[in-house]
Every structure is written in C-alpha cells, then in structure tokens.
Amino acid sequence: MLTMPAWGVSSGAVAVGLSLFPGWVAKLSPCYDLGMSSDQSDTFPGLKEIFLEEKQIQQKVADLGVRITQDYRGKTPLLIGVLRGAAIFHADLIRHIELKLRVDFISVASYGDATKTSGEVQLIKDLDTSIRGVDAILVEDIVDTGLTLDYLVRNLESRRPASLRSCALLSKPSRRCIDIPIDYVGFEVPDKFFVGYGLDHQQKYRNLPFIASLGNDRTDF
Ligand code: 5GP
C-alpha cells in the first residue's frame, strides 16, 4: 500500500497515475515512503520524491497550449523542440495548441558533469527549415543557468524570424547566471536535479510520466 507522501502529493492521485504503469508501482513504492531509502528501488535508484505528478503536468501543459493559442491567433507558429529533453513536453504541448502550426527540432549539448553545465554550448543538430520571417517558439524542458536558452535565442535571432518567444516547462530562477526572459513558464522549481517527463539522468528516467527529484541534493548521485 502507498503511504501518504510527506511532500503533499495525494497518494490517491499518485496511485491513479501509477495504475497506468502497474509494473512500476511495486518498484517505486519505496520512494513514496520517506522512511525508507529510495535506493531500495531496483529500477529507479536514487528517485527521491515525486515533485510534480502527471496530472499537474498535464494541466499546466494544457494551460500553456491555451495561452499560446490565444497569443498566436491568425498566425502559423513554428514550435521548435530542443532535443532531447523537451521531446515529450513538445509533443504534448502542440496537441493543446488549436492553430495551424509547424514543428522542427534543434539539439544542443551543454558540457559539464552529469548535473551541472559548464557554460559551453554546442549545436548538435540544426533546424531542418529556415525561420526567416517565421513566428518561432522555442520549447525547452528546463532553464537552469539560462546559458543554453541564451545561446539558442542569440543563434535563432540571427536568422531573422518574424518573432521568437521561449517556452519552458520548468525554470530554476535561483540558478540563473544570465538574466534571460522566458515568455511561457510552466513551473518555477527549486535547485534540485529533476528527472522524468523527458528529463534524464545519464539517459534514464525520460519515460516517467511524472517529474521526480534525484537525491537530497546535488551530491547524492
Ligand atoms: P542551462 O543551465 O543551460 O539553463 O541548462 C542546460 C541543460 O541542463 C538543460 O537544457 C537540461 O538539459 C539540463 N538540466 C538543467 N537542470 C536539469 C535538471 O534538473 N534535470 C535534468 N535532467 N536536466 C537538467
């Protein structure tokens, strides 16, 4: 049986969410009991707590879709997903935008260790299409220091789009090194390392339908 998590996620809602993934319930259940080490999970070692449950994420993505629909009425925006972390968010978001739209993807690498960026950003995969004269929206998973978003905005602005806005599911304001505005923000989150809903740790956890934090702090994993 799932115990009520101390961080306020309703165990009922969690149970409903996890019922879609019955195989995970047994393996993840230690993570719902703060009295037990999350490392007891064979499948997802290190998962500390569910920070955003699936329902909360889906509601926020729907809200962002409504806002973008209203703001871009009469236009055909290009939704640019930043691979790979934003792939799931991007896929869900575009289905909540009730407009004619186009999609493209870009991929960058930020160098550093597993949980911290060094500030060096490199383009790995460019867009397939020109954005000259296009209303482009950059769709990011998470803005941490802001260095990646700053790099992408400067790079894309130089291609002369009609407009360029940014949308990030998560933002960690306390970690910002560059004061870069984000036009659409899903959730402002604290300085923890998050996985799930597209976010990875060493390429794992992307398929979790919720967002969880890894360890108590950055030295835990
Ligand atoms: P930046 O520091 O440049 O804003 O973020 C660079 C990248 O680091 C993000 O696009 C994301 O891929 C990764 N990142 C930053 N914080 C987290 C986090 O909490 N979890 C995961 N999985 N990736 C993160």
Side-chain angles (χ1 to χ4, degrees):
M1 198 176 76
L2 294 170
T3 55
M4 175 64 95
W7 51 91
V9 176
S10 131
S11 60
V14 169
V16 170
L18 287 177
S19 66
L20 298 170
F21 302 87
W24 291 5
V25 174
K27 294 191 170 170
L28 275 175
S29 55
C31 303
Y32 293 89
D33 181 351
L34 291 179
M36 300 171 73
S37 162
S38 58
D39 289 337
Q40 291 172 13
S41 164
D42 296 337
T43 308
F44 300 111
L47 272 196
K48 189 67 186 172
E49 62 179 22
I50 289 191
F51 192 79
L52 293 166
E53 59 176 302
E54 183 178 6
K55 236 173 137 177
Q56 287 174 279
I57 298 169
Q58 291 303 331
Q59 184 56 58
K60 185 64 77 175
V61 175
D63 292 347
L64 290 170
V66 169
R67 283 181 57 199
I68 292 172
T69 302
Q70 288 166 351
D71 292 352
Y72 285 81
R73 227 172 261 299
K75 296 181 176 170
T76 304
L78 176 72
L79 277 285
I80 301 171
V82 183
L83 297 174
R84 285 171 259 183
I88 292 174
F89 174 42
H90 181 273
D92 283 346
L93 179 66
I94 60 171
R95 286 177 285 177
H96 288 287
I97 300 175
E98 297 181 8
L99 297 171
K100 270 191 285 177
L101 59 75
R102 295 188 300 122
V103 301
D104 206 339
F105 296 93
I106 198 165
S107 179
V108 290
S110 325
Y111 294 98
D113 64 26
T115 61
K116 278 185 194 148
T117 56
S118 69
E120 196 189 327
V121 183
Q122 192 187 335
L123 194 62
I124 301 294
K125 181 219 166 288
D126 204 352
L127 299 174
D128 290 332
T129 50
S130 165
I131 58 166
R132 197 181 181 103
V134 165
D135 291 302
I137 305 174
L138 200 50
V139 181
E140 267 274 30
D141 51 357
I142 184 164
V143 179
D144 185 31
T145 61
L147 292 164
T148 304
L149 181 61
D150 180 64
Y151 168 87
L152 284 168
V153 167
R154 283 189 288 112
N155 183 308
L156 296 180
E157 284 285 15
S158 72
R159 307 180 195 196
R160 307 228 198 125
S163 66
L164 177 64
R165 285 186 179 170
S166 54
C167 175
L169 180 66
L170 306 180
S171 170
K172 286 186 204 167
S174 65
R175 292 259 308 151
R176 208 71 93 243
C177 296
I178 294 189
D179 185 19
I180 180 147
I182 311 171
D183 299 287
Y184 303 97
V185 179
F187 301 94
E188 291 199 341
V189 295
D191 180 13
K192 295 184 176 202
F193 192 80
F194 297 98
V195 294
Y197 197 67
L199 291 161
D200 76 307
H201 179 244
Q202 297 176 344
Q203 300 305 324
K204 290 179 294 191
Y205 306 106
R206 291 194 198 275
N207 56 330
L208 297 177
F210 49 82
I211 291 174
S213 61
L214 269 192
N216 281 321
D217 57 44
R218 287 170 179 274
T219 59
D220 277 2
F221 46 88

